[in-house]
Every structure is written in structure tokens, then in C-alpha cells.
Amino acid sequence: MKINLSNIKKAKKLLNKNECVAIPTETVYGLAGNAYSDLACKKIYKLKKRPKNNPLIVHYYNAQDLKKDCNFNSNFFKLYKKFCPGPITFVLNLNKNSQISKIVTNKKNTIAVRFPKHPVARNLLKNLKFPLAAPSANLSSKVSAVRSADVKEDFGKKIKFVLEGGKSSIGLESTIIDLRNKPKILRLGGMEISIIRKVLNKKITIDNNPSKISTPGQLKLHYSPGIPLRLNVKKIKDNEAYLLIKKIKKTKPNYYFLSKKGDLKEAAKNLYSTLRKIKKNKYKSIAVAKIPNKGLGKTINDRLIRASKL
Ligand code: TXA
Ligand code: MG
């Protein structure tokens, strides 16, 4: 995609003044602010109506920039070399000299960091003197934004600027892995666990159980389209929208397909925008047909299960 440099300049100017700007990433859009500034980070929580105990992910251009704030280990280097920039977030220990705002980490000594791959986000990060704290650019507990229009739908004029970057190519949030001790997945995401496992060449535990508070954003209702959602449905009720992974021949106006042929990558990319579309089309509830529980299908199911907890 062609990068509009004057838009990046405008975003930079606002961020330098500790304002918030929405930025495109390959996973979902982020609501970004200077991660070294208490003021900017407070604005993020306020705009998103996000509980203060839910820490933010910090976005860096590269590992060199991260060095100032974090302690690395060999597992980090292995995964960084193979997958970054990309849809993976690392939980690490902050170092003593870190300038990261206490608002970002909820005063803890750990931090979640990631290196987004989207060319617009990379160009912006390269031009800044600070990393960007950026949660997903949606109202707290709702469906993430994968297009600039989604961000505007949620925040309207409250956001000073939305940096255009087209539709996010992955469409699901990053996979979060805690690397402080034995590698542990805290959130399923846009990067498949099987390929992470291959690189580390060891077992990885998955600990995204909502009853534990390691990653507060994984708790209870999340990713909600704002209307009830039922899973593994074979027979739909009157007035329900029907969400299917794969296009079928006998379609009806209330049928929505995540992909033509059941491709999980395509389905992931379309998931959030389709949920938003169904809500906009005034359906009162969503019935979801079974989605294969493999690869990215696991992440899609994870999001839909949380979205169904209304
Ligand atoms: O793909 C993504 O990760 C997107 C884009 C914008 O980068 N960001 C995103 O942020 O999904 P957010 O805030 O919606 O989700 C971040 C998750 C939350 O569940 C939060 O609890 C968890 O990361 N988190 C943040 N800091 C953490 C930490 N130090 N330890 C454990 N979990 C942490
Ligand atoms: Mg989020």
C-alpha cells in the first residue's frame, strides 16, 4: 500500500503533543498514545472506557528501541528473529531505567510489547522518539476495529485523528505469550501456536482461562457485537442472522459468510467486520454455525465464545 506521508506527519505532531491517534496495524486498529507520557496514557483509558487494571500493549519499531525499557531472554530473541514484525505480543520484565508510564502497566513490573508489521505503523514508529501504547481501537468489551470507518463508528469526533491504513490484513488481535518464565500463551491470536511451538522447540502451556487474572482483557464478556450470539447452531430462529464459515449455494438474505471456501485466514480477516455489519443491519441476535477448531479457527472460536457471554 502507498504510504501517505503527510498523514503520518499529522499523526506524529498530535502524538508529540500527547494526544491520542488511531493507527492501523495488521491485526486490528490501535488507539495510540506516547507510552512514556502519563497524560497520553490516561487519555487512552478515558476514551476507551477501559478499566484501569487492564494494562496496555506497547508498540516498538524494533528490539533496539525496546532495549531501553525491557530485559530480554533467549526465547524472546528466537521468536523475535522469526516472527517480528508480526502479530505476536511478548510479556517481559521491565528494566529499572524504563521510562514507561506507570499507567500503562498498572504499576506492575511487567510489560506486553509488540512490533507491528503494517507499513504505516512502522513508518510512524520509526519517526517517533517514544514507543506507542495502543490497545485495540474499540470501546471496552466490544468488537475490535479492522477499518478506519470502524474506529470512527465507535469514537466519532472524540478521536483527534484516524490514520488510514486500509483493512487490517489479519483481522484478529495478536497472540500474547508470557516469556518471563516457561513460555505461556495468555491470549490466542493471529499467530498460530503450532508455529511458535516449532521455533521454541518445546511445550508451551496455554493459560487463557478467564477465571485467572493474568491478562485482564481475557476476562468475561469481550469482543461483543452488542447483541446476543449463540454457537454451533444448526437450525436458526426467526429474525436471526446466520453466520457461516463457508459460502453455501442455498443462501438467504440473513446468511453471512466469513469466507468463500472455508479458508480460515480469510474468515479471520472478515470476522469483526461481519459482526459489525450484522449489528448495523438491525438483527436482534446472531446464530453461528460450527467453525473448525484448528489453526486460526481456534482463535475465531475463542473470540466467539467470549462474545456469546452476554
Ligand atoms: O493485536 C493487538 O494486540 C492489538 C493491536 C492494536 O496491537 N492490541 C490489542 O490490545 O489487542 P488490547 O488492549 O485490546 O489487548 C491487550 C491485552 C489485554 O487483554 C491486556 O490485559 C493484556 O493484553 N496485557 C497487557 N499488558 C499485559 C501484561 N503486562 N501482562 C499480561 N497481559 C497484558
Ligand atoms: Mg481489545
Side-chain angles (χ1 to χ4, degrees):
M1 95 167 275
K2 222 175 146 211
I3 295 179
N4 181 326
L5 290 176
S6 71
N7 279 346
I8 293 197
K9 224 171 160 184
K10 184 169 173 187
K12 182 179 167 184
K13 216 168 162 185
L14 287 163
L15 290 163
N16 279 337
K17 285 194 230 162
N18 294 324
E19 296 291 354
C20 298
V21 166
I23 61 164
T25 88
E26 73 283 12
T27 57
V28 299
Y29 274 68
L31 180 57
N34 178 352
Y36 293 156
S37 154
D38 290 348
L39 179 65
C41 295
K42 274 184 192 157
K43 284 182 187 167
I44 295 175
Y45 280 88
K46 198 170 166 209
L47 271 168
K48 250 193 89 109
K49 304 197 175 105
R50 184 180 180 101
K52 289 202 175 67
N53 69 349
N54 192 357
L56 307 177
I57 294 180
V58 180
H59 299 65
Y60 287 83
Y61 179 68
N62 59 20
Q64 184 63 31
D65 288 355
L66 177 67
K67 243 186 197 161
K68 289 176 274 187
D69 297 320
C70 254
N71 298 326
F72 303 160
N73 53 33
S74 64
N75 284 336
F76 169 81
F77 271 118
K78 278 186 200 158
L79 295 173
Y80 178 80
K81 262 195 219 143
K82 190 80 186 170
F83 298 129
C84 294
I88 182 165
T89 293
F90 309 101
V91 173
L92 300 166
N93 285 316
L94 275 177
N95 72 28
K96 275 196 196 120
N97 305 320
S98 156
Q99 293 179 61
I100 291 290
S101 161
K102 297 238 177 331
I103 313 273
V104 165
T105 55
N106 190 26
K107 300 195 186 103
K108 296 214 168 59
N109 57 1
T110 70
I111 183 175
V113 301
R114 114 172 175 83
F115 309 88
K117 191 172 187 171
H118 194 296
V120 171
R122 278 190 71 68
N123 191 305
L124 177 66
L125 285 167
K126 199 176 175 184
N127 278 292
L128 293 171
K129 294 205 162 60
F130 46 81
L132 290 175
S136 52
N138 53 279
L139 294 176
S140 191
S141 89
K142 296 285 189 276
V143 169
S144 297
V146 292
R147 294 169 311 188
S148 58
D150 300 340
V151 181
K152 287 173 193 158
E153 186 178 283
D154 280 13
F155 296 100
K157 291 209 170 80
K158 284 188 191 143
I159 274 192
K160 292 252 155 73
F161 187 50
V162 182
L163 193 51
E164 181 59 60
K167 190 169 176 182
S168 296
S169 60
I170 291 176
L172 296 169
E173 301 80 358
S174 59
T175 300
I176 304 182
I177 184 163
D178 186 345
L179 293 178
R180 289 171 302 154
N181 301 300
K182 275 192 193 145
K184 187 163 75 177
I185 301 287
L186 301 181
R187 175 175 76 181
L188 302 184
M191 178 160 293
E192 286 178 39
I193 294 169
S194 57
I195 60 172
I196 298 177
R197 199 176 283 134
K198 258 186 214 150
V199 171
L200 292 181
N201 199 16
K202 60 177 94 158
K203 262 200 166 167
I204 317 175
T205 31
I206 301 177
D207 185 13
N208 65 337
N209 183 341
S211 67
K212 294 183 186 157
I213 317 195
S214 44
T215 286
Q218 286 294 82
L219 286 175
K220 52 183 194 294
L221 175 72
H222 216 87
Y223 313 105
S224 166
I227 49 177
L229 186 145
R230 324 189 275 133
L231 301 173
N232 299 321
V233 176
K234 285 191 185 139
K235 204 160 177 262
I236 63 166
K237 297 177 189 162
D238 289 345
N239 304 325
E240 266 186 327
Y242 199 23
L243 186 67
L244 300 113
I245 179 90
K246 182 175 165 182
K247 199 160 185 168
I248 54 168
K249 276 195 188 130
K250 275 193 183 164
T251 178
K252 293 184 184 162
N254 58 330
Y255 284 23
Y256 292 81
F257 306 107
L258 291 175
S259 124
K260 269 195 193 126
K261 294 185 176 159
D263 176 69
L264 289 166
K265 265 194 186 158
E266 189 187 347
K269 183 172 176 179
N270 290 327
L271 178 68
Y272 291 144
S273 49
T274 309
L275 291 175
R276 280 179 186 264
K277 202 195 284 170
I278 292 172
K279 172 83 192 315
K280 244 182 264 165
N281 289 346
K282 305 261 190 278
Y283 287 97
K284 293 279 179 290
S285 62
I286 307 175
V288 186
K290 197 176 166 85
I291 291 176
N293 206 35
K294 56 173 195 213
L296 286 182
K298 283 193 178 153
T299 308
I300 296 176
N301 281 323
D302 172 86
R303 302 304 190 259
L304 288 171
I305 289 167
R306 289 176 210 280
S308 71
K309 302 259 167 9
L310 200 66

PDB file of all heavy atoms in Angstrom, residues 13 16 25 36 47 49 91 114 128 138 141 165 173 179 195 215-216 224-225 237 241 252:
ATOM      1  N   LYS A  13       2.691  14.751  14.839  1.00  0.00           N
ATOM      2  CA  LYS A  13       2.524  16.036  15.514  1.00  0.00           C
ATOM      3  C   LYS A  13       1.578  15.908  16.711  1.00  0.00           C
ATOM      4  O   LYS A  13       1.865  16.394  17.811  1.00  0.00           O
ATOM      5  CB  LYS A  13       1.931  17.028  14.499  1.00  0.00           C
ATOM      6  CG  LYS A  13       2.441  18.432  14.641  1.00  0.00           C
ATOM      7  CD  LYS A  13       2.036  19.226  13.440  1.00  0.00           C
ATOM      8  CE  LYS A  13       2.141  20.698  13.752  1.00  0.00           C
ATOM      9  NZ  LYS A  13       1.629  21.490  12.628  1.00  0.00           N
ATOM     10  N   ASN A  16       3.191  13.789  19.503  1.00  0.00           N
ATOM     11  CA  ASN A  16       4.210  14.577  20.209  1.00  0.00           C
ATOM     12  C   ASN A  16       3.588  15.512  21.238  1.00  0.00           C
ATOM     13  O   ASN A  16       4.222  15.905  22.210  1.00  0.00           O
ATOM     14  CB  ASN A  16       5.039  15.404  19.216  1.00  0.00           C
ATOM     15  CG  ASN A  16       6.113  14.562  18.558  1.00  0.00           C
ATOM     16  OD1 ASN A  16       6.530  13.538  19.098  1.00  0.00           O
ATOM     17  ND2 ASN A  16       6.551  14.964  17.367  1.00  0.00           N
ATOM     18  N   THR A  25      -2.921  -1.425  12.243  1.00  0.00           N
ATOM     19  CA  THR A  25      -1.899  -2.467  12.339  1.00  0.00           C
ATOM     20  C   THR A  25      -2.430  -3.661  11.551  1.00  0.00           C
ATOM     21  O   THR A  25      -3.599  -3.680  11.157  1.00  0.00           O
ATOM     22  CB  THR A  25      -1.542  -2.902  13.789  1.00  0.00           C
ATOM     23  OG1 THR A  25      -2.418  -3.945  14.193  1.00  0.00           O
ATOM     24  CG2 THR A  25      -1.552  -1.751  14.768  1.00  0.00           C
ATOM     25  N   TYR A  36       5.443   6.842  27.125  1.00  0.00           N
ATOM     26  CA  TYR A  36       6.250   7.442  28.197  1.00  0.00           C
ATOM     27  C   TYR A  36       5.486   8.557  28.923  1.00  0.00           C
ATOM     28  O   TYR A  36       6.004   9.158  29.872  1.00  0.00           O
ATOM     29  CB  TYR A  36       7.547   8.022  27.619  1.00  0.00           C
ATOM     30  CG  TYR A  36       8.522   6.982  27.076  1.00  0.00           C
ATOM     31  CD1 TYR A  36       9.471   7.332  26.112  1.00  0.00           C
ATOM     32  CD2 TYR A  36       8.518   5.675  27.550  1.00  0.00           C
ATOM     33  CE1 TYR A  36      10.383   6.394  25.621  1.00  0.00           C
ATOM     34  CE2 TYR A  36       9.420   4.739  27.054  1.00  0.00           C
ATOM     35  CZ  TYR A  36      10.346   5.097  26.099  1.00  0.00           C
ATOM     36  OH  TYR A  36      11.231   4.157  25.622  1.00  0.00           O
ATOM     37  N   LEU A  47     -10.859   7.476  26.810  1.00  0.00           N
ATOM     38  CA  LEU A  47     -11.552   7.342  25.532  1.00  0.00           C
ATOM     39  C   LEU A  47     -12.187   5.962  25.379  1.00  0.00           C
ATOM     40  O   LEU A  47     -13.306   5.822  24.908  1.00  0.00           O
ATOM     41  CB  LEU A  47     -10.552   7.524  24.386  1.00  0.00           C
ATOM     42  CG  LEU A  47     -10.328   8.936  23.875  1.00  0.00           C
ATOM     43  CD1 LEU A  47      -9.119   8.970  22.957  1.00  0.00           C
ATOM     44  CD2 LEU A  47     -11.559   9.419  23.118  1.00  0.00           C
ATOM     45  N   LYS A  49     -12.988   3.899  27.727  1.00  0.00           N
ATOM     46  CA  LYS A  49     -13.738   3.497  28.930  1.00  0.00           C
ATOM     47  C   LYS A  49     -13.176   2.168  29.434  1.00  0.00           C
ATOM     48  O   LYS A  49     -13.898   1.223  29.732  1.00  0.00           O
ATOM     49  CB  LYS A  49     -15.226   3.380  28.638  1.00  0.00           C
ATOM     50  CG  LYS A  49     -15.842   4.648  28.065  1.00  0.00           C
ATOM     51  CD  LYS A  49     -17.364   4.596  28.205  1.00  0.00           C
ATOM     52  CE  LYS A  49     -17.989   5.889  27.756  1.00  0.00           C
ATOM     53  NZ  LYS A  49     -18.636   5.817  26.454  1.00  0.00           N
ATOM     54  N   VAL A  91       5.169 -10.834  26.808  1.00  0.00           N
ATOM     55  CA  VAL A  91       5.149 -10.262  28.160  1.00  0.00           C
ATOM     56  C   VAL A  91       6.540 -10.469  28.756  1.00  0.00           C
ATOM     57  O   VAL A  91       7.049 -11.587  28.808  1.00  0.00           O
ATOM     58  CB  VAL A  91       4.052 -10.892  29.037  1.00  0.00           C
ATOM     59  CG1 VAL A  91       4.161 -10.399  30.480  1.00  0.00           C
ATOM     60  CG2 VAL A  91       2.671 -10.557  28.466  1.00  0.00           C
ATOM     61  N   ARG A 114       4.949  -5.327  21.453  1.00  0.00           N
ATOM     62  CA  ARG A 114       4.848  -5.953  20.133  1.00  0.00           C
ATOM     63  C   ARG A 114       5.409  -5.037  19.051  1.00  0.00           C
ATOM     64  O   ARG A 114       5.564  -3.827  19.273  1.00  0.00           O
ATOM     65  CB  ARG A 114       3.409  -6.406  19.926  1.00  0.00           C
ATOM     66  CG  ARG A 114       2.587  -5.773  18.873  1.00  0.00           C
ATOM     67  CD  ARG A 114       1.267  -6.527  18.738  1.00  0.00           C
ATOM     68  NE  ARG A 114       0.377  -5.863  17.796  1.00  0.00           N
ATOM     69  CZ  ARG A 114       0.452  -6.027  16.487  1.00  0.00           C
ATOM     70  NH1 ARG A 114       1.348  -6.817  15.939  1.00  0.00           N
ATOM     71  NH2 ARG A 114      -0.397  -5.373  15.692  1.00  0.00           N
ATOM     72  N   LEU A 128       9.202   8.357  15.505  1.00  0.00           N
ATOM     73  CA  LEU A 128       8.890   8.880  16.844  1.00  0.00           C
ATOM     74  C   LEU A 128      10.045   8.637  17.804  1.00  0.00           C
ATOM     75  O   LEU A 128      10.823   7.697  17.628  1.00  0.00           O
ATOM     76  CB  LEU A 128       7.633   8.196  17.397  1.00  0.00           C
ATOM     77  CG  LEU A 128       6.308   8.481  16.688  1.00  0.00           C
ATOM     78  CD1 LEU A 128       5.216   7.549  17.216  1.00  0.00           C
ATOM     79  CD2 LEU A 128       5.879   9.934  16.871  1.00  0.00           C
ATOM     80  N   ASN A 138     -11.344   0.181  19.975  1.00  0.00           N
ATOM     81  CA  ASN A 138     -12.789  -0.042  20.061  1.00  0.00           C
ATOM     82  C   ASN A 138     -13.194   0.297  21.488  1.00  0.00           C
ATOM     83  O   ASN A 138     -12.344   0.369  22.370  1.00  0.00           O
ATOM     84  CB  ASN A 138     -13.112  -1.513  19.773  1.00  0.00           C
ATOM     85  CG  ASN A 138     -12.301  -2.441  20.660  1.00  0.00           C
ATOM     86  OD1 ASN A 138     -11.136  -2.719  20.374  1.00  0.00           O
ATOM     87  ND2 ASN A 138     -12.891  -2.885  21.736  1.00  0.00           N
ATOM     88  N   SER A 141     -14.729  -3.890  25.799  1.00  0.00           N
ATOM     89  CA  SER A 141     -15.579  -5.092  25.748  1.00  0.00           C
ATOM     90  C   SER A 141     -16.298  -5.299  24.408  1.00  0.00           C
ATOM     91  O   SER A 141     -16.992  -6.284  24.222  1.00  0.00           O
ATOM     92  CB  SER A 141     -16.592  -5.164  26.898  1.00  0.00           C
ATOM     93  OG  SER A 141     -17.785  -4.509  26.546  1.00  0.00           O
ATOM     94  N   GLY A 165      -5.209   3.127   6.945  1.00  0.00           N
ATOM     95  CA  GLY A 165      -4.284   2.050   6.561  1.00  0.00           C
ATOM     96  C   GLY A 165      -4.978   0.901   5.877  1.00  0.00           C
ATOM     97  O   GLY A 165      -4.445  -0.202   5.809  1.00  0.00           O
ATOM     98  N   GLU A 173      -6.636 -10.008  16.924  1.00  0.00           N
ATOM     99  CA  GLU A 173      -5.570  -9.423  17.737  1.00  0.00           C
ATOM    100  C   GLU A 173      -4.367 -10.367  17.803  1.00  0.00           C
ATOM    101  O   GLU A 173      -4.486 -11.573  17.549  1.00  0.00           O
ATOM    102  CB  GLU A 173      -6.076  -9.153  19.163  1.00  0.00           C
ATOM    103  CG  GLU A 173      -7.257  -8.215  19.249  1.00  0.00           C
ATOM    104  CD  GLU A 173      -8.583  -8.878  18.933  1.00  0.00           C
ATOM    105  OE1 GLU A 173      -8.596 -10.074  18.614  1.00  0.00           O
ATOM    106  OE2 GLU A 173      -9.604  -8.175  18.987  1.00  0.00           O
ATOM    107  N   LEU A 179       6.841 -14.586  28.427  1.00  0.00           N
ATOM    108  CA  LEU A 179       8.181 -15.189  28.311  1.00  0.00           C
ATOM    109  C   LEU A 179       9.008 -15.006  29.570  1.00  0.00           C
ATOM    110  O   LEU A 179      10.215 -15.227  29.571  1.00  0.00           O
ATOM    111  CB  LEU A 179       8.934 -14.578  27.119  1.00  0.00           C
ATOM    112  CG  LEU A 179       8.383 -14.883  25.732  1.00  0.00           C
ATOM    113  CD1 LEU A 179       9.205 -14.176  24.661  1.00  0.00           C
ATOM    114  CD2 LEU A 179       8.357 -16.380  25.464  1.00  0.00           C
ATOM    115  N   ILE A 195       3.159 -22.921  15.134  1.00  0.00           N
ATOM    116  CA  ILE A 195       4.429 -22.434  14.558  1.00  0.00           C
ATOM    117  C   ILE A 195       5.329 -21.793  15.624  1.00  0.00           C
ATOM    118  O   ILE A 195       6.545 -21.812  15.515  1.00  0.00           O
ATOM    119  CB  ILE A 195       4.225 -21.504  13.327  1.00  0.00           C
ATOM    120  CG1 ILE A 195       3.416 -20.259  13.675  1.00  0.00           C
ATOM    121  CG2 ILE A 195       3.587 -22.237  12.167  1.00  0.00           C
ATOM    122  CD1 ILE A 195       3.393 -19.257  12.524  1.00  0.00           C
ATOM    123  N   THR A 215      -4.164 -11.933  32.318  1.00  0.00           N
ATOM    124  CA  THR A 215      -4.410 -10.955  31.270  1.00  0.00           C
ATOM    125  C   THR A 215      -5.854 -10.477  31.405  1.00  0.00           C
ATOM    126  O   THR A 215      -6.769 -11.124  30.925  1.00  0.00           O
ATOM    127  CB  THR A 215      -4.144 -11.595  29.882  1.00  0.00           C
ATOM    128  OG1 THR A 215      -2.742 -11.709  29.725  1.00  0.00           O
ATOM    129  CG2 THR A 215      -4.674 -10.766  28.750  1.00  0.00           C
ATOM    130  N   PRO A 216      -6.049  -9.373  32.136  1.00  0.00           N
ATOM    131  CA  PRO A 216      -7.408  -8.957  32.485  1.00  0.00           C
ATOM    132  C   PRO A 216      -8.344  -8.846  31.281  1.00  0.00           C
ATOM    133  O   PRO A 216      -9.527  -9.112  31.403  1.00  0.00           O
ATOM    134  CB  PRO A 216      -7.196  -7.591  33.126  1.00  0.00           C
ATOM    135  CG  PRO A 216      -5.786  -7.587  33.584  1.00  0.00           C
ATOM    136  CD  PRO A 216      -5.029  -8.472  32.650  1.00  0.00           C
ATOM    137  N   SER A 224     -17.724  -8.233  22.059  1.00  0.00           N
ATOM    138  CA  SER A 224     -19.165  -8.382  21.897  1.00  0.00           C
ATOM    139  C   SER A 224     -19.716  -7.494  20.781  1.00  0.00           C
ATOM    140  O   SER A 224     -19.454  -6.307  20.737  1.00  0.00           O
ATOM    141  CB  SER A 224     -19.860  -8.014  23.206  1.00  0.00           C
ATOM    142  OG  SER A 224     -21.239  -7.857  22.953  1.00  0.00           O
ATOM    143  N   PRO A 225     -20.528  -8.085  19.895  1.00  0.00           N
ATOM    144  CA  PRO A 225     -21.139  -7.262  18.847  1.00  0.00           C
ATOM    145  C   PRO A 225     -22.289  -6.413  19.390  1.00  0.00           C
ATOM    146  O   PRO A 225     -22.869  -5.622  18.642  1.00  0.00           O
ATOM    147  CB  PRO A 225     -21.649  -8.303  17.844  1.00  0.00           C
ATOM    148  CG  PRO A 225     -21.844  -9.557  18.628  1.00  0.00           C
ATOM    149  CD  PRO A 225     -20.853  -9.518  19.763  1.00  0.00           C
ATOM    150  N   LYS A 237     -33.332 -19.422  14.430  1.00  0.00           N
ATOM    151  CA  LYS A 237     -34.682 -18.957  14.791  1.00  0.00           C
ATOM    152  C   LYS A 237     -35.100 -17.831  13.844  1.00  0.00           C
ATOM    153  O   LYS A 237     -34.270 -17.291  13.113  1.00  0.00           O
ATOM    154  CB  LYS A 237     -34.662 -18.416  16.221  1.00  0.00           C
ATOM    155  CG  LYS A 237     -34.309 -19.436  17.261  1.00  0.00           C
ATOM    156  CD  LYS A 237     -34.266 -18.740  18.629  1.00  0.00           C
ATOM    157  CE  LYS A 237     -33.708 -19.666  19.683  1.00  0.00           C
ATOM    158  NZ  LYS A 237     -33.258 -18.959  20.869  1.00  0.00           N
ATOM    159  N   ALA A 241     -29.630 -13.527  12.409  1.00  0.00           N
ATOM    160  CA  ALA A 241     -28.651 -13.571  11.317  1.00  0.00           C
ATOM    161  C   ALA A 241     -27.880 -14.872  11.490  1.00  0.00           C
ATOM    162  O   ALA A 241     -27.629 -15.304  12.617  1.00  0.00           O
ATOM    163  CB  ALA A 241     -27.714 -12.387  11.428  1.00  0.00           C
ATOM    164  N   LYS A 252     -29.620 -17.130   1.882  1.00  0.00           N
ATOM    165  CA  LYS A 252     -30.762 -16.248   2.139  1.00  0.00           C
ATOM    166  C   LYS A 252     -30.221 -14.889   2.562  1.00  0.00           C
ATOM    167  O   LYS A 252     -29.054 -14.792   2.943  1.00  0.00           O
ATOM    168  CB  LYS A 252     -31.611 -16.823   3.280  1.00  0.00           C
ATOM    169  CG  LYS A 252     -32.295 -18.119   2.911  1.00  0.00           C
ATOM    170  CD  LYS A 252     -33.197 -18.577   4.051  1.00  0.00           C
ATOM    171  CE  LYS A 252     -33.796 -19.923   3.700  1.00  0.00           C
ATOM    172  NZ  LYS A 252     -34.323 -20.608   4.885  1.00  0.00           N
TER     173      LYS A 252
END
